[in-house]
Amino acid sequence: MSASSQKVALVTGAARGIGLAVAKHFLADGFGVALLDIEGDLLAKSVSELGRPDSTLALPCDVADANAVAAAFAEIERRFGRLDALVNNAGVAVFAPLMETSNADWSRVLAVNLTGPFLCAKAAVPLMRNRGGGAIVNITSISGLRASTLRSAYGTSKAGLAHLTKQLAVELAEFGIRVNGVAPGPVDTAMAKAVHSPAIRADYHDAIPLNRYGLEEELAEAVFFLCSDRASYVTGQVLAVDGGFDAAGIGLPTLRGARRNG
């Protein structure tokens, strides 16, 4: 299929949450969008609800499976003939103490969160290079920038992805391909609402200068900016979209309390 003039984005982990919000943002800006997710039934439902069959493509796929990734990119080329933006959002999390993190859990988290973006980036390069460039955005995490408990696998995978972002930015610049990362802090996703108790939410609010969780749409705005021509001279960066969480040191809750009581 010959490439059309419509720009095309691929978003992985797009059946829900941040990925789906990013896909909606691309659609609203006139992109054709391939939505990829391992949860085939949920993906089909989400894509159907978008109501844009002419501009969307559902791709059930495990990003850690090299053969499945190759098949997915072949389908993108067949359907759209081009790729302008790749958002590596698919990820899994295992939150457990080191001694309760199984070898299988470690391997799976690294396979999805780090190998998956590696495989997708490799597959994207030919499609982008042939048209003079493109943009890749990797969704890392605040857990890749600062350590926390229970995240030996997850935090390490995201730190690795942050460095892979820089490696790819340096190497792919000659092809006109920019590579950046977005590191979300706590975000009000369905998953967060299910696993974050009121006490955990209160702790996060205390530790975040903006005193709230982020919204999926706020993450989508940052991702879209980095994929757009407005960020044409930005590459090799990891942008924390975290309400100031990474910037804050100790003492914030106490200082807040002093202000309230003063």
Side-chain angles (χ1 to χ4, degrees):
M1 175 182 175
S2 60
S4 71
S5 59
Q6 181 186 41
K7 288 187 175 183
V8 175
L10 166 62
V11 184
T12 72
R16 70 173 93 208
I18 294 170
L20 183 56
V22 170
K24 289 177 178 178
H25 202 313
F26 276 114
L27 279 172
D29 206 67
F31 277 65
V33 183
L35 298 89
L36 184 153
D37 204 287
I38 196 171
E39 296 189 52
D41 291 343
L42 180 61
L43 177 65
K45 180 174 182 291
S46 296
V47 172
S48 176
E49 290 175 351
L50 290 173
R52 298 282 300 277
D54 293 339
S55 297
T56 55
L57 172 65
L59 295 168
C61 177
D62 179 354
V63 295
D65 181 336
N67 290 331
V69 168
F73 275 81
E75 181 63 14
I76 292 169
E77 185 170 22
R78 186 200 67 78
R79 168 70 183 277
F80 294 114
R82 63 187 290 169
L83 184 65
D84 301 274
L86 164 64
V87 180
N88 281 313
N89 171 69
V92 295
V94 173
F95 298 142
L98 172 65
M99 300 309 293
E100 296 173 22
T101 302
S102 70
N103 295 348
D105 284 343
W106 169 269
S107 295
R108 180 61 180 166
V109 170
L110 268 290
V112 175
N113 295 1
L114 188 53
T115 302
F118 166 78
L119 293 173
C120 289
K122 281 186 70 176
V125 167
L127 277 172
M128 292 182 174
R129 181 181 57 200
N130 292 344
R131 293 191 58 81
I136 298 173
V137 172
N138 296 321
I139 306 301
T140 63
S141 170
I142 208 67
S143 295
L145 300 177
R146 56 187 294 180
S148 181
T149 56
L150 313 181
R151 288 166 168 77
S152 58
Y154 181 75
T156 301
S157 72
K158 293 298 189 176
L161 182 56
H163 192 70
L164 178 64
T165 298
K166 293 179 181 293
Q167 292 286 159
L168 296 180
V170 171
E171 183 172 336
L172 300 181
E174 65 177 295
F175 304 128
I177 299 173
R178 298 181 299 102
V179 189
N180 292 289
V182 166
V187 179
D188 237 347
T189 61
M191 183 181 298
K193 291 173 182 175
V195 302
H196 286 187
S197 67
I200 290 174
R201 292 182 73 90
D203 284 345
Y204 270 125
H205 281 207
D206 276 346
I208 297 169
L210 288 185
N211 201 32
R212 66 175 176 85
Y213 279 47
L215 302 176
E216 293 168 354
E217 293 76 12
E218 291 176 311
L219 271 297
E221 287 282 0
V223 171
F224 186 79
F225 165 72
L226 290 173
C227 289
S228 75
D229 291 340
R230 289 177 293 166
S232 56
Y233 199 51
V234 182
T235 195
Q237 303 303 304
V238 177
L239 174 64
V241 182
D242 66 349
F245 186 43
D246 184 50
I250 62 171
L252 183 62
T254 300
L255 292 170
R256 278 206 177 118
R259 287 200 297 269
R260 283 194 296 267
N261 298 326

